[in-house]
């Protein structure tokens, strides 16, 4: 059967398939998982230390601190860097709310930067526009799995004398000019939310850093303010409870051994999408692909296109059994709890929020499923265009 006829046999495509990934690693981790369950040491311990070592090495950083979520990673990182009341932190407007919410929870003020119309990521120009004398740090978000131009951004941050934090929640294994996400900033924050490229059986996260004092502070903050070498009930600072569980660490170590293979599958699927949609993009159908920079290793956590008449295109795809997402329908500075921090319109992020559409992509997706999504998308775009023409002449 060729691709096209095989695509005809496909009738539904999920947005992702977490059970396929879990099923692949489960036979390898089952014994260790059960041993841990029976042992009863569920928080921290050797499985967490082993994963932290492997994760730091993978990211090209000296240390990793396992935490309860990516959101905590961002907040604790800011606090450990001494960012708080009276300080400003630049964040892109196009990101998940956790990036900006962490700044507010740390007691600081988010300042929103617009994004590039091509990549939908922050640029050194949009960063520079958002910096004020009160700015202490920038959170650079490697959204969708792609790092922005880190050479330019790190240089701009250095020139402004502000700290760089990477929000790499969607970018496990992403690279800029051959350097891994996690090796550029003072620290980088990862999420292991189940749907991420490296996902746990629940919430989990980590900070990686090559600054030992920062790692120590974050570890202490995440463990009720306890410090290494002190007794269980001695607390040096007010902290919180944000530790990584041993069962999650066992799964994450198991999945980490497959991460590169899964990422290569994502990259191949994205290349197939690009090839099939490229000819359609130029023919005035209202479809625009998100650009990939030549120096970026884009790990394709999400495959995001821009379409006009998104709601009707989405509805048409849903009718064909294709699940899609929107990341994100409301830019951060327009979210009710963050509006008070918005100072200017951010035209690119605002325009894009009404057009972006995330198509299914996951390591176990088949070529035929990609064909089916592309065929369905082009038909949905055509149908939406005809409907709007008809509406215009009535
Ligand atoms: C860009 C970004 N930042 C931060 C987070 C927060 O991570 P978590 O869900 O693990 O708290 C996420 C994940 O949802 C994210 O996508």
């Amino acid at each position: 059967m060729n691709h096209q006829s095989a695509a005809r046999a496909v009738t539904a495509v999920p947005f992702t398939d977490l059970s396929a990934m879990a099923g692949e690693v489960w036979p390898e981790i089952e014994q260790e998982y059960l041993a841990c369950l029976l042992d009863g040491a569920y928080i921290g311990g050797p499985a967490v230390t082993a994963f932290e070592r492997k994760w730091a090495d993978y990211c090209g950083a000296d240390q990793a601190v396992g935490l309860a979520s990516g959101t905590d990673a961002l907040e604790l990182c800011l606090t450990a860097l001494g960012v708080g009341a009276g300080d400003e932190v630049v964040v892109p407007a196009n990101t998940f709310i956790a990036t900006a919410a962490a700044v507010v929870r740390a007691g600081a003020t988010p300042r929103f930067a617009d994004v590039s119309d091509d990549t939908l990521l922050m640029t050194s120009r949009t960063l520079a526009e958002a910096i004020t004398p009160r700015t202490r740090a920038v959170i650079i978000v490697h959204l969708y799995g792609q790092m922005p131009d880190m050479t330019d951004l790190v240089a701009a941050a250095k020139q402004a004398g502000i700290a760089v934090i990477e929000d790499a929640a969607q970018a496990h294994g992403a690279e800029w000019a051959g350097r891994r996400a996690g090796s550029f900033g003072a620290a980088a924050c990862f999420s292991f939310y189940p749907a991420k490229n490296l996902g746990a059986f629940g919430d989990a996260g980590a900070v990686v850093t090559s600054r030992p004092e920062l790692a120590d502070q974050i570890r202490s903050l995440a463990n009720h303010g306890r410090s290494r070498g002190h007794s269980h009930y001695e607390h040096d600072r007010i902290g919180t409870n944000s530790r990584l569980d041993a069962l999650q660490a066992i799964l994450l170590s198991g999945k980490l051994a497959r991460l590169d293979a899964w990422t290569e599958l994502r990259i191949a699927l994205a290349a197939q999408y690009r090839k099939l949609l490229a000819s359609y993009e130029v023919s005035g159908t209202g479809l625009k692909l998100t650009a990939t920079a030549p120096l970026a290793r884009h790990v394709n956590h999400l495959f995001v296109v821009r379409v006009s008449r998104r709601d009707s295109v989405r509805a048409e795809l849903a009718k064909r059994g294709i699940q899609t997402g929107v990341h994100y329908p409301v830019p951060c500075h327009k979210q009710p709890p963050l509006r008070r921090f918005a100072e200017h319109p951010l035209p690119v992020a605002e325009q894009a929020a009404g057009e972006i559409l995330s198509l299914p992509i996951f390591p176990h997706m088949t070529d035929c499923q990609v064909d089916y999504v592309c065929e369905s998308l082009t038909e949905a775009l055509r149908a939406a265009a005809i409907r709007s023409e008809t509406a215009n002449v009535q």
Side-chain angles (χ1 to χ4, degrees):
M1 202 163 25
N2 65 24
H3 266 205
Q4 252 167 7
S5 47
R8 261 173 241 128
V10 177
T11 53
V13 186
F15 190 64
T16 186
D17 184 353
L18 304 186
S19 60
M21 282 185 271
E24 206 182 306
V25 292
W26 180 249
E28 283 161 29
I29 63 162
E30 188 177 3
Q31 288 310 319
E32 199 184 344
Y33 208 89
L34 291 176
C36 180
L37 273 179
L38 295 174
D39 176 55
Y42 299 143
I43 298 172
V48 171
T49 308
F51 172 69
E52 287 176 339
R53 184 66 267 138
K54 284 182 235 174
W55 187 240
D57 290 346
Y58 184 84
C59 298
D62 287 350
Q63 295 202 42
V65 182
L67 299 168
S69 72
T71 305
D72 283 357
L74 288 161
E75 184 185 332
L76 298 184
C77 196
L78 288 162
T79 303
L81 281 167
V83 175
D87 298 328
E88 290 180 356
V89 179
V90 179
V91 299
N94 181 34
T95 181
F96 181 53
I97 193 168
T99 317
V103 175
V104 180
R105 288 184 57 82
T109 301
R111 282 192 60 94
F112 295 102
D114 209 350
V115 292
S116 146
D117 196 39
D118 295 326
T119 60
L120 302 175
L121 305 172
M122 196 196 288
T123 68
S124 54
R125 183 182 59 76
T126 63
L127 166 61
E129 283 165 2
I131 290 175
T132 78
R134 284 184 299 282
T135 307
R136 287 279 314 278
V138 54
I139 304 182
I140 300 174
V141 184
H142 309 326
L143 202 69
Y144 308 144
Q146 177 172 216
M147 300 175 77
D149 185 332
M150 292 303 281
T151 319
D152 266 12
L153 280 163
V154 171
K158 198 169 172 193
Q159 201 188 355
I162 61 173
V164 170
I165 298 169
E166 297 174 62
D167 180 341
Q170 303 190 0
H172 312 77
E175 291 174 12
W176 178 260
R179 254 175 83 183
R180 281 261 159 93
S183 64
F184 283 87
C189 303
F190 288 89
S191 164
F192 304 123
Y193 175 77
K196 299 298 192 226
N197 287 21
L198 183 64
F201 281 161
D203 281 314
V207 170
V208 301
T209 180
S210 294
R211 296 190 188 176
E213 74 295 349
L214 200 57
D216 285 349
Q217 286 242 21
I218 292 169
R219 207 176 279 290
S220 170
L221 284 168
N223 190 20
H224 298 294
R226 295 184 179 110
S227 294
R228 205 196 305 267
H230 288 195
S231 78
H232 197 67
Y233 293 113
E234 278 182 87
H235 308 271
D236 293 332
R237 51 180 68 78
I238 295 298
T240 186
N241 177 0
S242 181
R243 298 166 301 212
L244 181 63
D245 296 335
L247 292 171
Q248 303 293 11
I250 292 168
L251 173 69
L252 291 168
S253 282
K255 281 189 167 183
L256 179 54
R258 285 183 156 67
L259 181 60
D260 280 331
W262 285 342
T263 301
E264 286 309 316
L265 291 169
R266 286 178 182 274
I267 290 171
L269 292 163
Q272 191 187 344
Y273 263 131
R274 287 183 182 281
K275 190 169 148 218
L276 292 174
L277 294 176
S279 57
Y280 204 73
E281 187 192 11
V282 291
S283 56
T285 53
L287 173 71
K288 185 172 169 4
L289 300 182
T290 315
T292 301
L295 288 179
R297 181 190 193 226
H298 190 330
V299 296
N300 293 284
H301 171 59
L302 295 169
F303 190 84
V304 175
V305 297
R306 286 168 74 173
V307 292
S308 39
R309 298 176 282 267
R310 179 183 62 208
D311 291 346
S312 84
V313 170
R314 263 197 109 182
E316 198 62 40
L317 291 174
K319 270 195 225 154
R320 292 159 198 255
I322 298 170
Q323 289 178 351
T324 56
V326 176
H327 300 87
Y328 295 91
V330 180
C332 277
H333 65 294
K334 295 278 186 187
Q335 293 283 1
L338 293 171
R339 269 188 218 146
R340 67 193 162 107
F341 302 112
E343 298 198 321
H344 316 282
L346 298 165
V348 179
E350 286 164 26
Q351 169 83 22
E355 299 172 352
I356 44 192
L357 177 68
S358 306
L359 301 177
I361 191 161
F362 51 95
H364 297 81
M365 190 176 185
T366 65
D367 291 352
C368 296
Q369 287 177 315
V370 177
D371 288 349
Y372 177 68
V373 175
C374 291
E375 242 176 63
S376 303
L377 177 62
T378 51
E379 281 164 28
L381 284 163
R382 247 180 243 126
I386 292 166
R387 256 200 306 279
S388 109
E389 265 170 37
T390 318
N392 286 341
V393 292
Q394 275 167 357

